Amino acid sequence: MKIETTPAPGINETVRNIIILDTTLRDGEQAPGCSMNPREKLEVARRLEKLGVDVIEAGFPASSPGDLESVRAIAEIVKDSTVAGLCRSLEKDIDAGRRALEKAAHPRIHIFLATSPIHMQWKLKMTEDQVLEQTAAAVKYAKKFCSDVEFSAEDAFRSDPDFVCTVFGAAIKAGALTVNFPDTVGYALPGEFGERIRYVREHTPGMEKARLSVHCHNDLGLAVANSLAAIVSGADQAECTLNGIGERAGNASLEEIVMSLRLRKESLKADTRIDATRIYGASRLVSQVTGVKVQPNKAIVGENAFVHEAGIHQHGVMANRETYEIMTPESVGISKSQMILGKHSGRHAFEDRLKLLGFSVDGETLEKIFAEFKDLADKKKTVNDRDIEALVMGAAAAAPETWKLDHWAVNTGSALGASGTIRLQHKDGAYRKLVSLGDGPIDSIYKAINQIIGREPELELYEIGAITGGSASQGETMVKIVWDDRRYNGRGVSTDVIESSIKAYLAAVNAMEYELARKTAE
Ligand code: KIV
Ligand code: ZN
């Protein structure tokens, strides 16, 4: 894809196009509790491409063979967005990045090196001259394999501004097409961040030959404000994540930057190419695969973002939505469709609904989801969008089933302990059945599963909720298990809460088994 900075299509000449680099799969995934398995990462990458993200930062290839493989798999399928891999300024990292991006239609190697006194002294143990030299050498090395090279000065905001300009100048001279100015620790205030970006723009030698990017963290809750201030000061690219996930308090949120620009483009003189109507679906996907819920009052994508509770507000909205709404829910992809599916709905209606919700599933996955939909429609009178979303998420990004649920039963009561019986089928076809006692139905069943699989992972998170209201609603369970210092997520959905708990645990177990088998094969 050719990345353009000015102007965005259909936008008048004075409105610049801001390049959106999404780092949900790298900086976002690095955050505690946000890990994704390779299939989930692929699913998210597909969604980012459809969303119209200009650059997808797919991972940090040198950090582990698994990460390299994930970046490689994403690079193979993504055609419309640039795919970037993050690398330290080391030849071995750049080699890993090159291998991971070999098949990318539009590869980008993203190199970083810290420039702040505290990072240079305590982390890198390097002098300014050494940092300068290593920057130029790394960019030159990366340019041998990839024309699109980005250089980031880690902790740029706490660095000497003139030193950053010198380092950026060296990176541009060595061939970097983008130089990125991160506020790595989220310390900046909007006014000063904007001024700093203007300064760097004006004082970096050769800046006219490269794009200036910003990457803001949210430790003071100012990541989006700082990114917008930088855009006003001339930044060409904004780095961000869906739902704002990322290290500590997270990164600047994609949806907030995009909608601020979309709604206020005349003031900010900038917009993006993002298809805003796909924002909500993409946000839901990230929340589902990471198991990290979006706070209800989160701007744009939170459950309450378009809910009006106070009578006076409701009255106003009924008379004219614009009294209390600056954008419509539909403009960010929150569908208000009244079309409810039920057991008489046919395949066409179901497939149309999937498309409308932004999913593209076919083949075996579609067969599986359609069968589950029919099953659900038998149990529940109406099936709404959230139910369908839950079915798709369960099937599309799940790891292959090493263990499959055959049947289960529990015995429990207020005066009794609980006993759980479960029968699982292994992928080799054999059945295993076990009965176990426990402190409640879930505990007894999970213990039985552990005995069958021969491992006892730590259950770090167990959360259960209802997908929609009403007693016939589906229960949705999220679990996170830890084995060998790695976390695996699982989701389960069923009209029976014990069954949704079993499905969630098995999904996490299957993700774990898949990863362990992959590691053994390496
Ligand atoms: O926050 C940061 O400085 C980063 C860089 C590696 C771009 O994530
Ligand atoms: Zn970061």
Side-chain angles (χ1 to χ4, degrees):
M1 182 190 53
K2 193 161 166 276
I3 297 176
E4 304 276 2
T5 37
T6 57
I11 290 172
N12 80 50
E13 299 280 320
T14 58
V15 175
R16 295 183 304 131
N17 177 51
I18 301 301
I19 295 159
I20 293 294
L21 180 148
D22 178 279
T23 183
T24 304
L25 294 169
R26 198 278 299 169
D27 220 337
E29 212 252 346
Q30 239 164 269
C34 287
S35 58
M36 300 173 221
N37 68 37
R39 288 168 160 258
E40 292 165 340
K41 287 185 188 173
L42 264 185
E43 199 58 30
V44 171
R46 280 198 190 97
R47 202 58 84 83
L48 291 170
E49 185 182 24
K50 282 207 191 119
L51 186 61
V53 157
D54 299 288
V55 187
I56 299 173
E57 185 156 75
F60 188 167
S63 67
S64 72
D67 226 50
L68 191 148
E69 270 320 306
S70 281
V71 177
R72 183 195 273 283
I74 291 168
E76 254 183 74
I77 59 149
V78 169
K79 298 289 169 243
D80 293 338
S81 309
T82 294
V83 177
L86 184 72
C87 309
R88 285 168 299 180
S89 301
L90 302 171
E91 289 194 0
K92 65 175 173 136
D93 272 37
I94 296 167
D95 288 338
R98 171 168 65 111
R99 283 204 303 281
L101 295 169
E102 239 159 32
K103 303 243 168 82
H106 311 283
R108 173 180 293 188
I109 291 184
H110 179 186
I111 298 167
F112 73 99
L113 189 58
T115 48
S116 65
I118 187 164
H119 276 237
M120 288 191 292
Q121 182 184 350
W122 295 99
K123 189 181 81 175
L124 300 175
K125 304 196 188 323
M126 285 169 79
T127 62
E128 285 194 349
D129 284 347
Q130 287 169 326
V131 165
L132 196 56
E133 202 179 302
Q134 192 163 320
T135 300
V139 174
K140 246 185 230 150
Y141 186 69
K143 282 294 275 192
K144 289 190 198 165
F145 318 112
C146 187
S147 61
D148 187 352
V149 173
E150 170 170 342
F151 174 79
S152 282
E154 191 187 12
D155 205 14
F157 184 71
R158 292 193 301 171
S159 307
D160 172 0
D162 292 319
F163 180 54
V164 175
C165 294
T166 309
V167 172
F168 277 178
I172 294 169
K173 190 161 171 228
L177 298 183
T178 304
V179 284
N180 180 37
F181 190 99
D183 179 16
T184 303
V185 293
Y187 183 68
L189 302 175
E192 60 189 10
F193 197 66
E195 269 169 37
R196 188 70 63 85
I197 292 303
R198 194 177 306 282
Y199 184 88
V200 168
R201 233 198 136 76
E202 285 167 4
H203 293 86
T204 294
M207 193 64 242
E208 67 290 347
K209 290 190 235 135
R211 298 195 183 101
L212 182 54
S213 168
V214 286
H215 174 115
C216 297
H217 278 267
N218 206 29
D219 298 66
L220 291 173
L222 293 171
V224 171
N226 288 340
S227 305
L228 295 176
I231 287 168
V232 171
S233 291
D236 308 294
Q237 172 177 287
E239 303 197 352
C240 45
T241 60
L242 281 163
N243 301 340
I245 63 168
E247 289 276 7
R248 307 179 310 279
N251 288 60
S253 114
L254 179 145
E255 58 277 12
E256 293 175 24
I257 293 183
V258 167
M259 291 316 287
S260 299
L261 291 172
R262 186 71 30 98
L263 262 66
R264 304 302 311 274
K265 58 174 169 271
E266 302 303 338
S267 305
L268 297 166
K269 307 266 178 279
D271 197 357
T272 71
R273 291 174 205 281
I274 297 291
D275 176 356
T277 63
R278 294 184 182 268
I279 283 180
Y280 184 67
S283 153
R284 294 282 311 151
L285 176 68
V286 168
S287 165
Q288 297 274 351
V289 298
T290 56
V292 176
K293 290 211 162 94
V294 174
Q295 77 196 56
N297 59 327
K298 166 84 178 62
I300 323 287
V301 291
E303 210 54 49
N304 294 346
F306 295 94
V307 173
H308 306 277
E309 184 71 30
I312 191 164
H313 286 205
Q314 289 175 346
H315 183 75
V317 169
M318 277 189 294
N320 179 344
R321 294 201 75 91
E322 287 180 25
T323 48
Y324 286 100
E325 271 184 14
I326 57 168
M327 63 193 124
T328 62
E330 292 82 356
S331 68
V332 296
I334 301 177
S335 115
K336 292 239 306 299
S337 152
Q338 294 307 309
M339 195 170 96
I340 301 245
L341 299 179
K343 67 177 179 185
H344 300 298
S345 306
R347 208 191 163 87
H348 272 309
F350 182 69
E351 285 188 34
D352 278 355
R353 202 78 210 122
L354 285 181
K355 268 196 211 122
L356 225 100
L357 291 172
F359 295 110
S360 55
V361 266
D362 45 27
E364 262 178 48
T365 314
L366 178 60
E367 293 309 319
K368 185 167 182 250
I369 299 168
F370 187 62
E372 285 179 6
F373 157 71
K374 281 291 188 189
D375 209 33
L376 179 64
D378 264 342
K379 294 185 188 144
K380 209 171 168 268
K381 258 200 245 135
T382 53
V383 178
N384 67 20
D385 289 351
R386 295 297 288 274
D387 292 316
I388 294 174
E389 206 180 66
L391 292 179
V392 184
M393 306 289 190
E401 289 179 305
T402 304
W403 295 101
K404 201 170 171 169
L405 176 62
D406 182 45
H407 71 245
W408 61 273
V410 288
N411 244 321
T412 189
S414 57
L416 302 167
S419 73
T421 306
I422 192 145
R423 194 163 103 125
L424 301 181
Q425 185 180 22
H426 190 257
K427 63 177 180 202
D428 64 13
Y431 287 90
R432 298 276 324 269
K433 181 174 173 182
L434 239 143
V435 184
S436 177
L437 298 176
D439 293 335
I442 308 297
D443 186 51
S444 65
I445 285 274
Y446 283 11
K447 279 187 174 140
I449 294 177
N450 286 350
Q451 286 178 54
I452 292 178
I453 66 171
R455 296 183 217 278
E456 216 173 302
E458 180 198 337
L459 180 63
E460 189 181 69
L461 176 115
Y462 170 87
E463 247 176 38
I464 188 149
I467 289 184
T468 51
S471 58
S473 165
Q474 296 199 90
E476 180 185 42
T477 309
M478 302 290 249
V479 303
K480 252 186 231 301
I481 58 173
V482 185
W483 180 258
D484 243 358
D485 280 340
R486 282 216 52 169
R487 286 171 173 71
Y488 303 92
N489 302 329
R491 279 183 66 257
V493 175
S494 169
T495 46
D496 184 300
V497 290
I498 297 181
E499 186 158 303
S500 78
S501 303
I502 296 172
K503 283 184 171 172
Y505 196 70
L506 279 181
V509 163
N510 283 330
M512 170 181 75
E513 296 295 351
Y514 177 69
E515 184 64 18
L516 294 176
R518 214 182 48 75
K519 270 205 186 132
T520 318
E522 261 167 28

